Coordinates of all heavy atoms in Angstrom, one line a residue:
D41 N 9.6 26.0 -0.3 CA 10.0 27.1 0.6 C 11.2 27.7 0.2 O 11.3 29.0 0.3 CB 10.4 26.4 2.1 CG 10.5 27.5 3.1 OD1 9.6 28.0 3.8 OD2 11.8 27.8 3.4
F42 N 12.1 27.0 -0.3 CA 13.3 27.8 -1.0 C 12.9 28.7 -2.1 O 13.3 29.8 -2.2 CB 14.3 26.7 -1.5 CG 15.4 27.5 -2.4 CD1 16.2 28.1 -1.8 CD2 15.4 27.3 -3.8 CE1 17.3 28.7 -2.6 CE2 16.3 27.8 -4.6 CZ 17.3 28.7 -3.9
E43 N 12.0 28.2 -2.9 CA 11.4 29.1 -4.0 C 10.8 30.3 -3.5 O 11.1 31.5 -4.0 CB 10.3 28.3 -4.9 CG 9.9 29.1 -5.9 CD 8.6 28.5 -6.7 OE1 8.2 27.5 -6.2 OE2 8.3 28.9 -7.8
R44 N 10.1 30.2 -2.5 CA 9.4 31.5 -1.9 C 10.6 32.4 -1.3 O 10.5 33.6 -1.6 CB 8.5 31.2 -0.6 CG 7.2 30.4 -1.1 CD 6.2 30.2 0.1 NE 6.7 29.3 1.0 CZ 6.3 28.0 0.9 NH1 5.8 27.6 -0.1 NH2 6.8 27.2 1.9
F45 N 11.5 31.8 -0.7 CA 12.6 32.7 -0.2 C 13.4 33.3 -1.4 O 13.7 34.6 -1.3 CB 13.7 31.8 0.7 CG 14.7 32.5 1.1 CD1 14.7 33.4 2.4 CD2 16.0 32.5 0.5 CE1 15.8 34.0 2.8 CE2 17.1 33.2 0.9 CZ 17.1 34.1 2.2
A46 N 13.7 32.5 -2.4 CA 14.4 33.1 -3.5 C 13.6 34.2 -4.2 O 14.2 35.3 -4.7 CB 14.7 31.9 -4.5
L47 N 12.3 34.2 -4.3 CA 11.5 35.1 -4.9 C 11.6 36.5 -4.1 O 11.6 37.5 -4.6 CB 10.1 34.7 -5.1 CG 9.8 33.6 -6.0 CD1 8.3 33.1 -5.9 CD2 10.1 34.1 -7.5
T48 N 11.6 36.3 -2.7 CA 11.8 37.7 -1.9 C 13.2 38.2 -2.3 O 13.3 39.5 -1.9 CB 11.7 37.3 -0.5 OG1 12.8 36.4 -0.1 CG2 10.4 36.7 -0.2
R49 N 14.1 37.5 -2.7 CA 15.5 38.0 -3.1 C 15.5 38.4 -4.6 O 16.6 38.8 -5.1 CB 16.6 37.1 -2.8 CG 16.6 36.8 -1.4 CD 17.0 37.8 -0.5 NE 17.1 37.7 0.9 CZ 18.3 37.3 1.6 NH1 19.4 37.2 0.8 NH2 18.4 37.1 2.9
G50 N 14.4 38.3 -5.2 CA 14.4 38.7 -6.7 C 14.8 37.7 -7.6 O 15.2 38.0 -8.8
V51 N 15.0 36.3 -7.1 CA 15.5 35.3 -8.0 C 14.2 34.5 -8.4 O 13.6 33.8 -7.5 CB 16.5 34.5 -7.2 CG1 16.8 33.2 -8.1 CG2 17.7 35.3 -7.0
A52 N 13.9 34.4 -9.6 CA 12.8 33.6 -10.2 C 13.1 32.5 -11.0 O 12.3 31.6 -11.5 CB 11.8 34.5 -10.9
S53 N 14.4 32.4 -11.5 CA 14.9 31.3 -12.3 C 16.1 30.7 -11.8 O 16.8 31.2 -10.9 CB 15.1 31.9 -13.8 OG 16.3 32.7 -13.7
T54 N 16.6 29.5 -12.4 CA 17.7 28.8 -12.0 C 19.0 29.5 -12.2 O 20.0 29.3 -11.5 CB 17.8 27.5 -12.7 OG1 17.6 27.6 -14.1 CG2 16.6 26.5 -12.2
D55 N 19.0 30.5 -13.1 CA 20.1 31.4 -13.4 C 20.7 32.0 -12.2 O 21.9 32.4 -12.1 CB 19.9 32.2 -14.5 CG 19.6 31.5 -15.9 OD1 20.1 30.4 -16.0 OD2 19.1 32.1 -16.7
G56 N 19.8 32.4 -11.2 CA 20.2 33.3 -10.1 C 20.5 32.4 -8.9 O 20.8 33.1 -7.9
I57 N 20.5 31.1 -9.0 CA 20.9 30.4 -7.8 C 22.4 30.2 -7.6 O 23.2 29.9 -8.6 CB 20.5 28.9 -8.0 CG1 18.9 28.9 -8.1 CG2 20.8 27.9 -6.9 CD1 18.4 27.4 -8.4
D58 N 22.9 30.7 -6.4 CA 24.3 30.6 -6.1 C 24.3 30.1 -4.7 O 23.4 30.0 -3.9 CB 25.0 31.8 -6.4 CG 24.5 33.0 -5.6 OD1 23.8 32.8 -4.5 OD2 24.8 34.1 -5.9
L59 N 25.6 29.9 -4.3 CA 25.9 29.3 -2.9 C 25.4 30.2 -1.9 O 24.9 29.9 -0.7 CB 27.5 29.0 -2.8 CG 27.8 28.4 -1.3 CD1 27.1 27.1 -1.2 CD2 29.3 28.1 -1.5
E60 N 25.7 31.5 -2.0 CA 25.3 32.5 -1.1 C 23.8 32.5 -0.9 O 23.3 32.7 0.2 CB 25.7 33.9 -1.6 CG 25.3 35.0 -0.6 CD 25.8 36.4 -1.0 OE1 26.5 36.5 -2.2 OE2 25.6 37.4 -0.3
L61 N 23.0 32.4 -1.9 CA 21.5 32.3 -1.8 C 21.0 31.2 -1.0 O 20.2 31.2 -0.1 CB 20.8 32.3 -3.2 CG 19.2 32.3 -3.1 CD1 18.7 33.5 -2.6 CD2 18.8 32.0 -4.6
L62 N 21.7 30.0 -1.3 CA 21.5 28.8 -0.6 C 21.7 28.8 0.9 O 20.9 28.5 1.6 CB 22.2 27.6 -1.1 CG 21.8 27.3 -2.7 CD1 22.6 26.1 -3.1 CD2 20.3 26.9 -2.8
R63 N 22.9 29.5 1.3 CA 23.3 29.6 2.6 C 22.3 30.5 3.3 O 22.0 30.3 4.5 CB 24.8 30.1 2.7 CG 25.8 29.1 2.4 CD 27.2 29.6 2.3 NE 28.2 28.6 2.2 CZ 29.5 28.8 1.9 NH1 29.8 30.1 1.7 NH2 30.4 27.9 1.9
D64 N 22.1 31.7 2.6 CA 21.1 32.6 3.2 C 19.6 32.0 3.6 O 19.1 32.3 4.7 CB 20.8 33.8 2.4 CG 22.1 34.8 2.4 OD1 23.0 34.5 3.1 OD2 22.0 35.6 1.4
W65 N 19.3 31.0 2.7 CA 18.0 30.3 2.9 C 18.1 29.5 4.3 O 17.2 29.6 5.1 CB 17.7 29.6 1.9 CG 16.4 28.7 1.9 CD1 15.3 29.0 2.4 CD2 16.4 27.2 1.8 NE1 14.3 27.9 2.4 CE2 15.2 26.8 2.0 CE3 17.3 26.2 1.4 CZ2 14.8 25.4 2.0 CZ3 17.0 25.0 1.2 CH2 15.7 24.5 1.6
L66 N 19.2 28.7 4.4 CA 19.3 28.0 5.5 C 19.5 28.9 6.9 O 18.9 28.5 7.9 CB 20.5 27.0 5.4 CG 20.4 25.9 4.3 CD1 21.6 25.0 4.3 CD2 19.1 25.0 4.6
W67 N 20.2 29.8 6.7 CA 20.4 30.8 7.8 C 19.1 31.4 8.3 O 18.8 31.5 9.5 CB 21.5 31.9 7.4 CG 21.6 32.9 8.5 CD1 21.4 34.2 8.4 CD2 22.1 32.7 9.9 NE1 21.6 34.9 9.6 CE2 22.1 34.0 10.5 CE3 22.5 31.6 10.5 CZ2 22.5 34.1 11.8 CZ3 23.0 31.8 11.9 CH2 23.0 33.0 12.5
D68 N 18.2 31.8 7.3 CA 17.0 32.2 7.5 C 16.2 31.3 8.3 O 15.4 31.6 9.3 CB 16.3 32.8 6.3 CG 14.9 33.4 6.6 OD1 14.9 34.5 7.0 OD2 13.8 32.8 6.3
G69 N 16.2 30.1 8.0 CA 15.5 28.9 8.7 C 15.9 28.8 10.1 O 15.1 28.6 11.1
S70 N 17.3 29.0 10.2 CA 18.0 28.8 11.6 C 17.4 30.0 12.5 O 17.1 29.7 13.6 CB 19.4 28.7 11.4 OG 20.0 28.8 12.8
K71 N 17.3 31.2 11.9 CA 16.9 32.3 12.8 C 15.5 32.1 13.2 O 14.9 32.7 14.2 CB 17.1 33.7 12.0 CG 18.5 34.0 11.9 CD 18.7 35.5 11.4 CE 18.1 35.5 9.9 NZ 18.3 36.9 9.4

Side-chain angles (χ1 to χ4, degrees):
D41 187 86
F42 169 72
E43 180 187 13
R44 287 190 292 270
F45 178 82
L47 290 174
T48 66
R49 297 297 181 89
V51 176
S53 72
T54 54
D55 295 338
I57 298 174
D58 57 22
L59 181 60
E60 183 178 358
L61 178 67
L62 298 176
R63 284 174 171 169
D64 285 350
W65 173 56
L66 292 180
W67 175 243
D68 184 73
S70 177
K71 289 192 298 181

